[in-house]
Amino acid sequence: MHHLLRLCAAGLCGLALPGLATPAAAEVVRFETLESVPAFEGRSFEGTGPYLRITGRATIAGDPADPRNAVIADIDRAPRNAQGRVEAVADVVLLRPADPARGNGTLLVDVPNRGRKLAPQLFDDVAQPAANRAEQAADAGIGFLHRQGYSMAWIGWQADIPSQPGQLALAAPTLDGVTGASRDEFLFDHLRNPVTATLTWPLADPANLAVTVRGHWSEPRQTPTGLSVRATGLRTVEISRPESGFDAAALYEVTYTARDPILTGLGFAATRDVAAFLRRDTSAANPLAHQGRPMVQRAVGFGVSQSGRFLRDFLWLGFNEDTSGRMVFDGIIPHIAGARRMATNFRFGQPGRNARHPQDPAWQADLGPFSYAAMEDPVTGRRDGLMLRCRIGATCPKVMQTDSEHEWWASRASLLVTDLDGNHIDLPADVRAYMIAGTPHFTNPGEAPRRAPTMALQVNPMHAGPPMRALLVAMQEWLDTGVEPPASRVPMRAHGTLVDAAAAVPTNIPGLPYAGIFTGAAVSDQSVFPPRLLGDYPVLVPRADADGMAIAGIRMLPLAVPRASYTGWNPRAEGFGAGTLFPLQGAVVPFAATREERLAANDPRPSLAERYPDAASYVAAVREAASRMVAERLLLPEDAQRAVAAADAGRLAQLARGTAD
């Protein structure tokens, strides 16, 4: 489905609708609207009214000789249309106010994560799968984005996944017959034997398959008795595991000769070109144009995890400059990306790759640069930074990078605010960074603490929606009026809140076992196979208070007025790689109810009764903390009201049960 032939068979090769700009001015040569219907069953939103949901396809055609496209890996080898351009087709979904005059003038491009829409989950408190739709009235959740008046776009960029309902993708050319070395790393978290695994790329020669195993990426690769691999399909293998010596979290690395790479790097061009088209094209083909004028005057790029890392690469590779030299995104918000990038713009790249502790941290997805300011790398000798290219072209957006606390333990986020020797650096004036303390990587709204056999501690359910809504409002004000957002809220060496792992967390809290574990940062020589480790970089972590919670960052109300200790890390359980971090999760350890209970447990953390003499005092503390966060522009008044109401509802429930003091 990724061949250029498929594009031509669909009638999309080299066609342009009347009114569209020529490819020299804009790379979208065809936009096809497939459906335009009322969204959310016609639900109307205060200040904005109802929304339309528009589904379409955008064909881009890029000139390989244009320096803005030449950065795409293998574009010079790709099939071309009759005009000598390289084509791809992106799935597109739009939401916009039915009345164009009632929007806020901003296009929010939510870069899909593995083809999914995640902004509604974070900003509108919509759980999956409803967050990936826009059909029923409840699919809009609290309707925050819609009440703000945003037009929203989801543009398929990932070319190694299929286009299907609920999954936006990019149909990009394939380099038929091209082969090369590839590898995949698997961590199964179970002991089933044998086990089936899916490779990233199709096999060129099953005879070249090989597999190794190790307990941790830093250990030597092993080939013990009983370990073997065989092909079961074009992209599937069966791994037979050794009978002993390795637990459920062992790392299995499969190496093979792959074939037919797709130009995955075209995903950056698709996002650039379609976003530029939507915000500037004035033709009738643009669903965001009205009466010969664009509905939007500015654009913000937002991405979560994989798509947050996409935005960091998008910026670094120079794609925030469109093919006419104009800025694409006025602002970007990479969320939960840490100091990581991605392995998309490579032959046999791996857009879905996300190494997790204890996996190899030196793959393509983990190469520098790590921070926005340019600096010299003491290992490679290169000088680079995420904003180096956009500074040259004067196309740098305003940046607000937001991370969970988990990214500071698992995604080496300290490298945002340190140089590569571990010393403090200041962020550029047009960059802000925020750590949302006490949060795991990402959760559905409304989750509750739970137990999992793979993790040592109860799982942290903290949802980051409230501060993210406040920060999006701050970004809008920054772009609209120039009012600067709140100062960065992250751990820093200069503040004493970013420290070596060994000194980060108190060791005297029962039930909170921390042993200095975190994901490191390394660089490897990618010109050899497998890549050769060249060196590593210092990684620091947030300093915790006496309750075991991060001191720095945005401390949401559950941390500001706590009833438990919330962390961004959770160790693996015995039998599942104990001594390493479980991916994406944090932990929650409740406080004792009374002083007597905590003393019996030898718990140094004050009990609930010692912190809050009665239920009313707890509600008052929540109200005071919420008011302070609103004043600091880290919480919106509507979210403060919801929090106080929830605390008061809990007090009333206690009174009804006769359990309140």
Side-chain angles (χ1 to χ4, degrees), residues 165-199:
Q167 182 169 282
L168 292 89
L170 179 75
T174 295
L175 302 183
D176 291 328
V178 172
T179 62
S182 188
R183 64 175 179 147
D184 284 293
E185 190 178 46
F186 302 102
L187 190 160
F188 298 112
D189 272 333
H190 61 70
L191 291 173
R192 293 193 292 274
N193 193 22
V195 61
T196 298
T198 301
L199 304 177

Side-chain angles (χ1 to χ4, degrees), residues 306-461:
Q306 180 208 34
S307 48
R309 294 184 287 117
F310 176 96
L311 282 174
R312 286 167 53 85
D313 264 21
F314 182 92
L315 182 61
W316 175 67
L317 290 166
F319 284 99
N320 205 48
E321 179 179 342
D322 72 13
T323 52
S324 296
R326 301 166 301 188
M327 187 181 297
V328 177
F329 294 126
D330 303 271
I332 64 170
I333 306 176
H335 183 57
I336 54 177
R340 306 193 63 200
R341 292 184 27 232
M342 65 187 331
T344 295
N345 194 36
F346 296 90
R347 181 181 297 179
F348 296 112
Q350 297 189 356
R353 167 76 181 175
N354 180 22
R356 299 161 180 173
H357 202 249
Q359 292 174 280
D360 188 343
W363 285 40
Q364 295 163 333
D366 302 286
L367 299 174
F370 304 106
S371 192
Y372 294 92
M375 63 185 73
E376 185 170 318
D377 187 325
V379 178
T380 66
R382 291 179 54 198
R383 180 174 178 79
D384 207 348
L386 294 177
M387 300 179 96
L388 190 62
R389 284 181 173 87
C390 70
R391 294 288 184 216
I392 295 171
T395 55
C396 287
K398 299 187 187 309
V399 179
M400 292 172 63
Q401 177 158 335
T402 56
D403 283 301
S404 74
E405 185 187 322
H406 181 77
E407 312 320 311
W408 290 74
W409 301 91
S411 298
R412 55 193 78 92
S414 66
L415 291 169
L416 290 172
V417 292
T418 68
D419 64 20
L420 298 177
D421 290 315
N423 302 308
H424 172 88
I425 62 168
D426 291 325
L427 291 168
D430 49 0
V431 177
R432 298 290 187 276
Y434 306 95
M435 181 186 82
I436 304 175
T439 51
H441 184 69
F442 198 70
T443 63
N444 262 319
E447 287 192 10
R450 59 185 173 85
R451 290 282 182 182
T454 52
M455 286 171 265
L457 302 175
Q458 189 173 217
V459 180
N460 183 342

Side-chain angles (χ1 to χ4, degrees), residues 219-236:
E219 298 173 0
R221 296 174 172 89
Q222 300 181 50
T223 54
T225 301
L227 178 66
S228 64
V229 62
R230 69 178 185 90
T232 58
L234 191 61
R235 287 180 52 188
T236 56

Side-chain angles (χ1 to χ4, degrees), residues 106-163:
T106 298
L107 173 64
L108 180 66
V109 177
D110 176 20
V111 180
N113 176 300
R114 292 168 175 81
R116 301 167 300 164
K117 309 168 188 175
L118 293 186
Q121 192 171 341
L122 191 63
F123 293 113
D124 288 322
D125 286 359
V126 188
Q128 292 289 4
N132 209 37
R133 305 187 302 247
E135 299 170 358
Q136 301 171 16
D139 292 349
I142 62 173
F144 169 76
L145 292 172
H146 318 87
R147 287 184 281 111
Q148 294 290 311
Y150 284 101
S151 294
M152 292 163 257
W154 292 268
I155 303 164
W157 64 268
Q158 193 169 343
D160 63 333
I161 61 174
S163 172

Side-chain angles (χ1 to χ4, degrees), residues 15-61:
L15 296 180
L17 289 180
L20 281 187
T22 65
E27 299 286 351
V28 172
V29 295
R30 179 182 176 93
F31 190 94
E32 185 179 8
T33 296
L34 304 176
E35 182 184 55
S36 180
V37 297
F40 311 115
E41 299 178 302
R43 176 178 168 182
S44 184
F45 300 92
E46 182 182 357
T48 312
Y51 266 69
L52 294 179
R53 186 185 78 240
I54 300 163
T55 303
R57 286 194 299 256
T59 302
I60 66 167

Side-chain angles (χ1 to χ4, degrees), residues 203-210 255-257:
L203 286 163
D205 183 0
N208 288 338
L209 268 176
T255 56
Y256 58 103
T257 301

Side-chain angles (χ1 to χ4, degrees), residues 272 281 292 310 460 482 486 489 499 540 566 661:
R272 174 197 66 195
D281 188 83
F310 176 96
N460 183 342
R489 294 287 187 102
V499 298
L540 305 169
Y566 292 91
D661 292 332

